[in-house]
Amino acid sequence: FDLFSLEEALRLKDQVGARVTVLTMGPPMAEAALRKALSFGADAAVLLTDRKFAGSDTLATSYALTSAIRKLAEEEPVDLVFCGKQTVDGDTAQVGPGIATRLGLQQLTYIAKIESVDPDRREITVHRRSEGGVQVLRTALPCMITMLEGTNSIRFGTMDDLFRAARTPLRQWGKDDCVEDETKVGLKGSPTVVSKVFVPKPRAEKAKIIAGDGPDALASAAVETIFAAQPKLASELLAR
Amino acid sequence: MSDKPTSDKPQGRRFQLPEHLKAYQGVWVIVEQERGQAHSVSWELVGEARKLADKLGVEVGAVVLGADGPDLDRICGEAFGFGADVVYKVTDPVLADYRTEPYARVMTELVNAHKPEIVLLGATTLGRDLAGAIATTLQTGLTADCTELDIYAENRSLAATRPTFGGTLLCTIQTLAFRPQMATVRPRVMALPDRDESRTGRVVEIHPHLSESDIVTKVLSFIPDSAQDEAQLAFADVIVAAGKGLGKPENLSLVWDLARVLGAEVGVTRPLVQAGWAGFDRQVGQTGKTVRPKLYIAAGISGAIQHRVGMEKADLILAINTDANAPIFDFAHHAIVGDAVQVLPALTEAFSRRLQVSRLAS
Ligand SMILES: Cc1cc2nc3c(=O)[nH]c(=O)nc-3n(C[C@H](O)[C@H](O)[C@H](O)COP(=O)(O)OP(=O)(O)OC[C@H]3O[C@@H](n4cnc5c(N)ncnc54)[C@H](O)[C@@H]3O)c2cc1C
Ligand SMILES: Nc1ncnc2c1ncn2[C@@H]1O[C@H](COP(=O)(O)O)[C@@H](O)[C@H]1O
């Protein structure tokens, strides 16, 4: 889901000019994802990897990522932080708000569209999905944005981008490179623990097989079975 | 649902809560309201909070935030009716529309002042946005998209169960020595409790005295969704759902025909959405809608776990599948082993005939 956010960042780069840095925390093999992002047009990539980060829950993950963003911000100002809506494995949509809160950034989640960015006035106007409609919001930079999925589709990099992606040196940071308080990362820094993992239980009994010869007999038998099991349903259907 | 614990600690982690965290008591629900209407997920959660609070012997608190007015008073009354003991009514003109900054600020102060042990929110665009922010300001654990909530009796801690690894397994998550324990739950995952109009409780009024000039983000306008656009799957009483077993897009009309006779909504599995047979608003399952109809007819659906978690709470499931060993028959109530392309029109015919007979009789 982060591709929607990356594409949006690249569009802003096209429109108003910007440097796009991609950052991920994960095992060394996450390098492949970063190279891919470079080939789509990102300018720089940072891989945050350390065995001490393993077992981080969302609070610890957002702490580690925030530390890395702070370090990047020492080199050049960060105006916008894009996060995905949800990770495919975690599916929690908590890391983005966690980073925004730690950095004191305005937080724009479930963004369907970036209406405009005014780099001079340092303002951004967006469409945010809410339950009953769309909120049109305006806020000040810097801010954190998570894009709704399906809002755009990622561009394909050119041949040049591919070569550049392969050549661009990847920066790799560990705990000691950016994290101030090591009790806040990994298992130690995670308030939540998995207390058990299990397979969902099948229903006590299997489905009862409806018998009948041919589709019509099966269908009539099914209708009778349903009405017998749910006597109220028949009258409710009639009331429609 | 704890039949096969693969961990060696099926009873939850044993640990002692530090003394200062024992002051945290009570189960809270942050009630989501937009434009004077409470979201039903909040009442589903008040029902769940009631069960947890009864196990713990504590009170249920409902937090209602917004601009003062009759709508907000009505929502407070509803909160009592669904099971709250205390309503924290937080009013300020700045809270009229949801924005992260003022809501997170007010909620952080409220939690620090009243110290609830559990805080529940709906896993909606508002609830997830707010939960992620306040779990960080409060520096505590948050478990998202739970499908089951319970209490570990031995240490009074919340056992929050959710799907993991793309939904093939479930895991139970516990917050160790941090309070409050926070969780979000998607709409329709929990049952809506019965409402008792005569129930009342205490209202604690809170006026945070916010100032609009302190708030950076401004709401320029609101574009409501037109009601007709979206399929109303989540609240449908009857759903006819189609899977890849229908073979080709033209056969989807067989499902629509049956749905018309039953006054039902049409649902689909993810591959059908991906193939463009139907819109995303009709997808049932882990990444689509959670539904709890009285009757769910599944035609040509294998019953993958990601689909199952979205529909297994239906009162009655009838599955039609050519494969007698399809996983869906493990949790459907009734099975037709046969070709959906033939059975669907026969069902449409049989239902309309049967309804005709009843209509004449009455
Ligand atoms: C992260 C993730 C999230 C997902 N989220 C969702 C989700 O939200 N919702 C969802 O639905 N899926 C979801 N999926 C996909 C899910 O894993 C399954 O692939 C999907 O549900 C299968 O759809 P199906 O039953 O239509 O197709 P299949 O699994 O291909 O099943 C087709 C069935 O039709 C039967 N059949 C064939 N011909 C006939 C016939 N003529 N008459 C009757 N039966 C016939 C076959 O026996 C078979 O059982 C997700 C997957 C992942 C990895
Ligand atoms: N380890 C990580 N490295 C980089 N970004 C992450 C990581 N974990 C989460 N995120 C970001 O936070 C978003 C939401 O994650 P989650 O809260 O786990 O659903 C993702 O889409 C990413 O943008």
Side-chain angles (χ1 to χ4, degrees):
Chain A
F1 292 142
D2 284 11
L3 288 183
F4 301 117
S5 287
L6 177 58
E7 172 61 24
E8 211 56 38
L10 294 173
R11 283 185 191 181
L12 288 180
K13 175 181 165 181
D14 296 344
Q15 278 172 30
V16 295
R19 246 173 83 78
V20 175
T21 300
V22 286
L23 165 68
T24 195
M25 177 173 114
M29 69 184 186
E31 177 178 343
L34 291 177
R35 292 261 175 237
K36 198 154 204 178
L38 288 170
S39 80
F40 292 138
D43 302 290
V46 178
L47 174 61
L48 204 55
T49 188
D50 196 308
R51 288 175 58 184
K52 285 271 162 45
F53 293 148
S56 293
D57 72 356
T58 47
L59 193 73
T61 302
S62 75
Y63 179 77
L65 289 170
T66 299
S67 307
I69 295 169
R70 285 217 168 97
K71 182 168 164 127
L72 285 169
E74 283 168 13
E75 298 168 8
E76 56 187 331
V78 174
D79 292 320
L80 277 165
V81 176
F82 280 95
C83 288
K85 185 172 81 78
Q86 299 174 346
T87 48
V88 183
D89 52 342
D91 226 21
T92 63
Q94 286 160 198
V95 170
I99 292 173
T101 303
R102 289 176 190 281
L103 291 173
L105 302 178
Q106 292 298 310
Q107 164 175 331
L108 302 172
T109 56
Y110 299 95
I111 300 308
K113 185 170 140 194
I114 297 182
E115 176 92 23
S116 63
V117 180
D118 186 334
D120 301 324
R121 303 180 60 181
R122 301 190 53 77
E123 270 179 359
I124 183 165
T125 309
V126 298
H127 286 200
R128 173 176 189 270
R129 170 115 303 271
S130 77
E131 295 307 302
V134 169
Q135 278 183 321
V136 184
L137 298 174
R138 172 169 301 159
T139 198
L141 300 177
C143 66
M144 189 284 308
I145 294 182
T146 70
M147 296 298 296
L148 212 56
E149 68 233 64
T151 41
N152 58 38
S153 50
I154 189 74
R155 61 193 59 195
F156 285 105
T158 60
M159 218 49 193
D160 282 349
D161 285 326
L162 279 175
F163 286 128
R164 194 179 46 83
R167 275 198 317 266
T168 307
L170 203 84
R171 290 207 274 176
Q172 185 164 324
W173 292 345
K175 164 182 73 71
D176 298 329
D177 294 311
C178 55
V179 171
E180 219 164 81
D181 183 352
E182 66 171 276
T183 64
K184 289 190 171 171
V185 298
L187 275 176
K188 243 189 284 169
S190 302
T192 59
V193 292
V194 175
S195 58
K196 75 179 182 213
V197 176
F198 57 102
V199 233
K201 192 158 110 183
R203 222 189 265 281
E205 22 183 326
K206 279 201 125 199
K208 293 194 195 73
I209 301 211
I210 292 170
D213 215 0
D216 294 327
L218 280 170
S220 304
V223 171
E224 292 316 317
T225 310
I226 288 169
F227 284 170
Q230 291 268 58
K232 282 207 328 238
L233 192 67
S235 49
E236 281 171 22
L237 290 179
L238 278 176
R240 280 158 200 250
Chain B
M1 291 184 107
S2 55
D3 60 329
K4 257 196 193 167
T6 51
S7 147
D8 54 351
K9 290 185 183 111
Q11 294 308 309
R13 298 286 174 107
R14 238 148 277 180
F15 70 97
Q16 275 297 311
L17 203 58
E19 223 35 60
H20 72 281
L21 293 180
K22 289 188 180 158
Y24 282 79
Q25 289 217 341
V27 183
W28 277 16
V29 175
I30 302 183
V31 176
E32 176 168 338
Q33 67 89 20
E34 249 175 337
R35 263 139 267 281
Q37 219 53 52
H39 196 297
S40 57
V41 70
S42 303
W43 306 143
E44 292 158 18
L45 287 178
V46 168
E48 210 54 28
R50 183 75 265 160
K51 291 185 224 160
L52 298 175
D54 289 345
K55 283 181 194 161
L56 291 164
V58 296
E59 288 189 320
V60 173
V63 185
V64 179
L65 306 102
D68 210 356
D71 282 337
L72 223 60
D73 291 329
R74 191 194 67 245
I75 292 171
C76 294
E78 285 171 32
F80 291 128
F82 285 109
D85 300 306
V86 195
V87 170
Y88 298 88
K89 183 182 166 206
V90 190
T91 52
D92 194 294
V94 171
L95 300 174
D97 284 303
Y98 175 72
R99 283 172 293 174
T100 317
E101 194 180 0
Y103 269 64
R105 190 183 300 168
V106 164
M107 277 315 307
T108 304
E109 282 172 16
L110 203 63
V111 168
N112 283 332
H114 295 270
K115 303 194 186 321
E117 60 200 294
I118 295 174
V119 176
L120 306 177
L121 298 96
T124 58
T125 55
L126 187 160
R128 283 179 167 148
D129 184 282
L130 182 59
I134 64 179
T136 309
T137 53
L138 297 166
Q139 289 286 299
T140 192
L142 165 59
T143 308
D145 293 359
C146 301
T147 52
E148 224 183 294
L149 298 172
D150 203 349
I151 300 291
Y152 283 124
E154 65 275 18
N155 54 24
R156 292 175 62 92
S157 68
L158 180 70
T161 299
R162 67 185 309 276
T164 182
F165 301 119
T168 47
L169 293 171
L170 294 172
C171 66
T172 302
I173 298 199
Q174 213 182 336
T175 298
L176 298 175
F178 298 82
R179 289 293 179 272
Q181 308 161 88
M182 295 183 56
T184 65
V185 179
R186 296 177 52 197
R188 303 299 276 162
V189 168
M190 304 297 180
L192 189 68
D194 290 329
R195 183 171 165 194
D196 175 358
E197 308 255 0
S198 65
R199 245 183 131 269
T200 55
R202 293 193 327 276
V203 178
V204 178
E205 299 234 16
I206 293 145
H207 305 284
H209 300 294
L210 301 169
S211 159
E212 182 59 46
S213 57
D214 292 343
I215 310 300
V216 180
T217 300
K218 305 294 175 193
V219 181
L220 303 186
S221 61
F222 184 80
I223 310 162
D225 294 332
S226 55
Q228 309 93 300
D229 287 3
E230 278 262 310
Q232 297 301 315
L233 268 189
F235 294 93
D237 276 340
V238 183
I239 293 173
V240 187
K244 252 167 65 186
L246 283 191
K248 46 184 181 188
E250 297 83 81
N251 287 339
L252 207 57
S253 67
L254 304 175
V255 171
W256 280 101
D257 290 342
L258 177 57
R260 210 162 295 124
V261 168
L262 295 174
E265 281 285 355
V266 170
V268 295
T269 59
R270 184 158 93 160
L272 269 56
V273 174
Q274 286 170 335
W277 295 20
F280 175 69
D281 58 333
R282 298 207 174 270
Q283 180 178 319
V284 174
Q286 193 200 339
T287 41
K289 296 266 179 350
T290 303
V291 300
R292 1 171 103 241
K294 294 182 174 137
L295 174 62
Y296 190 93
I297 301 180
I301 294 178
S302 61
I305 184 74
Q306 294 90 349
H307 187 74
R308 173 178 171 177
V309 292
M311 47 67 81
E312 66 181 339
K313 297 224 169 107
D315 292 342
L316 194 69
I317 300 167
L318 168 69
I320 310 162
N321 199 306
T322 39
D323 176 4
N325 295 316
I328 193 151
F329 292 141
D330 291 342
F331 57 95
H333 300 91
H334 297 287
I336 296 181
V337 181
D339 182 353
V341 178
Q342 292 177 9
V343 174
L344 280 169
L347 266 179
T348 307
E349 179 57 33
F351 267 114
S352 58
R353 210 174 332 114
R354 173 63 208 260
L355 288 171
Q356 203 82 48
V357 171
S358 313
R359 211 166 264 138
L360 289 174
S362 64

